[in-house]
Amino acid sequence: MADPYGFLKHSRAEAKKRPAADRLSDWDEVYLDVPAEQRDAEVRTQAARCMDCGIPFCHSGSAGCPLGNLIPEWNDLVRRGDWESASDRLHATNNFPEFTGRLCPAPCEAACVLSISHDAGGAVAIKRVEQAIADVSWDQGLVRPTQSQVSSGRRVAVVGSGPAGLAAAQQLTRAGHEVTVFERDDRLGGLLRYGIPEFKMEKKVLDRRLAQLRKEGTKFVTGCEVGVDLTVEELRSKFDAVVLAVGALRGRDDTTTPGRSLRGVHLAMEHLVPANRACEGDGPPAIDAAGKHVVIIGGGDTGADCYGTASRQGAASVLQLDQYPMPPSTRDNDRSPWPVWPWILRTYPAHEEAGERKFAVAVEEFVGDDDGHVTHIRLRKVRVEKDASGRRQVVPTSEEVEVLPADLVLLAIGFEGVEHMPLLDGLGLQLTSRGTISCGSDWQTRSPGVFVCGDAHRGASLVVWAIAEGRSVANAVDRYLTGSSDLPSPVIPNMLPLAVV
């Protein structure tokens, strides 16, 4: 730490966004593409705000980054302009910092010591520094294939090519195992490919990392549903270990609200996937928001993704609904004290572009026309409370009903867990009550030699947790195959973020 007063001299500064009108006219990433010299200077100033705390909660797995990113170290290296060393320190703990730098909501920043007091000016812009290190690493050719000098002679199948599966595959390939990643879709990446909109992460960012994995020796098979196209018997006979990184893609539905069966009411992924395919050049999406009044139910990340996608498709209007009251703009220390993840209003770039949000409301009915297509919603003010048994209830707080136009309704109300698939039946695995696949302390399921990681294990979560679990399961598989492992293992299966209960 060169200057202990750096955080007082320099204010927190986010990366500048392109004008909203420009963003709505294309699918490019929302942030302004500034000259490299300007970017580097701005980021070095932000890195100089880091205090190099005696106890850096930012990379604490329980409060900050589950990957254990060495944040104070690479902040100081960036401040000094030593980008190559910063890249080494960042890649030592994170396989894909260009993903997390764009997509992670940054629990590290919530746990930054500068978040304790408003007088400190806000957390260090860690996420911005991380993305800059990753981008500079690619620009300067610092990201190179790391090929193993030895071969274990063991073969590992990774089912699923999302961030957890890719992290596990890269670690195991570098350890000398022969790794094959199976993906049922026609392209690699899982939700990174077909769930995350182009304006949040352009797919060329994913493709260049996949090219690195290929050069390192990882093999990929697309259009293959394991358990169907490749039977469980074939899987078992060809591979010494299996990693299940199949995600938690079973969307939560609304089966109780009248009118749910009307045409034009869809789960969020039914909208996002074809929109992403259209960006890949597969032709017009089957579900298009162009010219429609779009209502999005659910206030989280997926809802915001639908929001930005609908706006870019040319929606006549976009309205996002949340059953919960509008959160405060600053941390409520009684409800979510530092360093836990704060309950605050999160405004995504998409919310600055068009449309509106309503809080503490719920749809009591979807209204359709004579042809069975949704045309309106009936909206009530509500509050969410728990009954005597602890179950969540949505209770109306007003007799007033608001009728709003709705040609397209998107349900972004979460995920219920792993999809039901023949692979699980063939392996003799059952889902938990949370819809996930359980494992022991060694990440191994009840089926010997079969391991699980990522959303399939912990439920829908953050990209940073997926990578952390992928790295950890690689250690467990390596140990299972060889008796020991030098691979890092940043988290354990039952690890949870610090929270107030």
Side-chain angles (χ1 to χ4, degrees):
M1 179 175 57
D3 186 356
Y5 300 101
F7 72 97
L8 295 174
K9 295 178 180 178
H10 307 294
S11 300
R12 174 183 168 91
E14 301 282 0
K16 295 181 176 63
K17 304 181 188 73
R18 296 190 294 132
D22 292 348
R23 288 162 19 207
L24 289 175
S25 67
D26 59 39
W27 293 87
D28 296 344
E29 290 186 10
V30 301
Y31 293 99
L32 198 63
D33 186 13
V34 299
E37 297 79 8
Q38 178 183 341
R39 173 199 63 191
D40 296 354
E42 291 176 354
V43 171
R44 289 179 64 182
T45 298
Q46 287 303 299
R49 299 185 68 243
C50 181
M51 298 170 61
D52 193 14
C53 308
I55 301 177
F57 285 83
C58 58
H59 68 203
S60 162
S62 61
C65 178
L67 280 167
N69 281 335
L70 304 170
I71 295 167
E73 293 186 29
W74 42 257
N75 272 335
D76 188 59
L77 290 166
V78 167
R79 177 192 63 80
R80 291 189 272 153
D82 189 350
W83 293 95
E84 184 169 6
S85 296
S87 177
D88 287 341
R89 299 311 289 150
L90 177 54
H91 280 93
T93 57
N94 188 350
N95 297 70
F96 315 123
E98 67 273 31
F99 301 167
T100 53
R102 287 169 168 82
L103 306 177
C104 183
C108 55
E109 294 186 9
C112 175
V113 170
L114 294 182
S115 292
I116 297 177
S117 170
H118 299 303
D119 296 335
V124 174
I126 299 169
K127 181 177 174 179
R128 184 181 180 188
V129 177
E130 179 181 33
Q131 181 178 340
I133 297 172
D135 290 346
V136 169
S137 298
W138 285 102
D139 293 345
Q140 297 185 2
L142 302 176
V143 181
R144 307 178 185 93
T146 302
Q147 296 175 329
S148 176
Q149 300 303 307
V150 298
S151 174
S152 70
R154 302 299 181 90
R155 306 184 69 196
V156 181
V158 176
V159 186
S161 65
L166 292 178
Q170 184 167 60
Q171 294 294 96
L172 288 166
T173 297
R174 290 175 173 180
H177 305 297
E178 183 180 334
V179 181
T180 302
V181 178
F182 293 92
E183 171 57 58
R184 68 181 179 182
D185 285 330
D186 57 341
R187 296 183 180 94
L188 298 168
L191 282 182
L192 294 174
R193 174 75 64 184
Y194 287 137
I196 301 298
E198 189 82 357
F199 59 82
K200 286 180 68 175
M201 188 183 77
E202 295 176 10
K203 299 310 175 282
K204 64 184 181 182
V205 173
L206 170 61
D207 290 335
R208 69 186 179 188
R209 185 61 80 170
L210 290 169
Q212 181 205 25
L213 268 69
R214 286 190 175 96
K215 290 178 181 178
E216 292 178 345
T218 300
K219 300 176 182 179
F220 294 96
V221 178
T222 56
C224 178
E225 183 172 357
V226 180
V228 179
D229 303 306
L230 177 71
T231 67
V232 171
E233 291 74 18
E234 291 172 322
L235 180 74
R236 285 297 209 175
S237 66
K238 293 180 179 180
F239 297 95
D240 300 294
V242 177
V243 175
L244 301 179
V246 295
L249 301 176
R250 182 154 46 94
R252 181 172 289 115
D253 205 343
D254 175 5
T255 59
T256 60
T257 302
R260 167 60 183 93
S261 60
L262 290 169
R263 294 198 307 276
V265 183
H266 301 276
L267 297 180
M269 297 308 295
E270 296 172 359
H271 176 234
L272 291 176
V273 171
N276 277 295
R277 285 188 173 278
C279 290
E280 295 275 5
D282 290 353
I287 300 173
D288 196 333
K292 297 177 181 177
H293 296 288
V294 180
V295 174
I296 301 163
I297 300 176
D301 285 14
T302 303
D305 292 344
C306 291
Y307 195 115
T309 298
S311 298
R312 281 160 179 76
Q313 289 178 334
S317 67
V318 182
L319 173 64
Q320 187 174 14
L321 309 178
D322 195 328
Q323 293 178 338
Y324 294 93
M326 185 170 72
S329 58
T330 58
R331 184 194 292 267
D332 179 351
N333 287 318
D334 292 331
R335 178 166 182 163
S336 53
W338 179 89
V340 304
W341 184 246
W343 180 64
I344 58 174
L345 177 64
R346 303 189 186 279
T347 299
Y348 297 84
H351 294 133
E352 303 167 356
E353 298 165 351
E356 65 173 315
R357 289 187 281 179
K358 288 181 179 289
F359 295 88
V361 294
V363 175
E364 71 169 18
E365 183 182 7
F366 302 110
V367 181
D369 58 20
D370 294 338
D371 294 327
H373 197 287
V374 66
T375 59
H376 293 80
I377 58 169
R378 292 170 55 85
L379 201 64
R380 280 269 196 104
K381 293 181 180 179
V382 299
R383 69 171 179 269
V384 180
E385 59 185 36
K386 291 184 178 180
D387 61 18
S389 62
R391 290 178 297 185
R392 191 177 68 94
Q393 288 187 322
V394 180
V395 181
T397 60
S398 170
E399 295 297 324
E400 181 182 355
V401 176
E402 187 175 8
V403 180
L404 297 172
D407 307 308
L408 175 62
V409 177
L410 302 172
L411 304 178
I413 52 179
F415 296 88
E416 292 188 334
V418 177
E419 294 177 318
H420 299 292
M421 55 186 69
L423 173 60
L424 301 184
D425 295 333
L427 292 171
L429 297 177
Q430 294 182 337
L431 300 180
T432 68
S433 59
R434 295 177 53 249
T436 59
I437 302 171
S438 63
C439 66
S441 60
D442 61 352
W443 299 93
Q444 193 168 185
T445 69
R446 294 181 177 180
S447 183
V450 178
F451 299 76
V452 65
C453 64
D455 288 0
H457 163 251
R458 67 183 300 112
S461 186
L462 309 181
V463 62
V464 69
W465 275 99
I467 297 172
E469 292 210 356
R471 288 170 67 86
S472 298
V473 86
N475 171 284
V477 173
D478 189 33
R479 189 178 299 275
Y480 170 79
L481 295 175
T482 67
S484 63
S485 180
D486 294 326
L487 295 175
S489 181
V491 294
I492 58 176
N494 61 355
M495 188 172 179
L496 295 172
L498 186 67
V500 176
V501 294

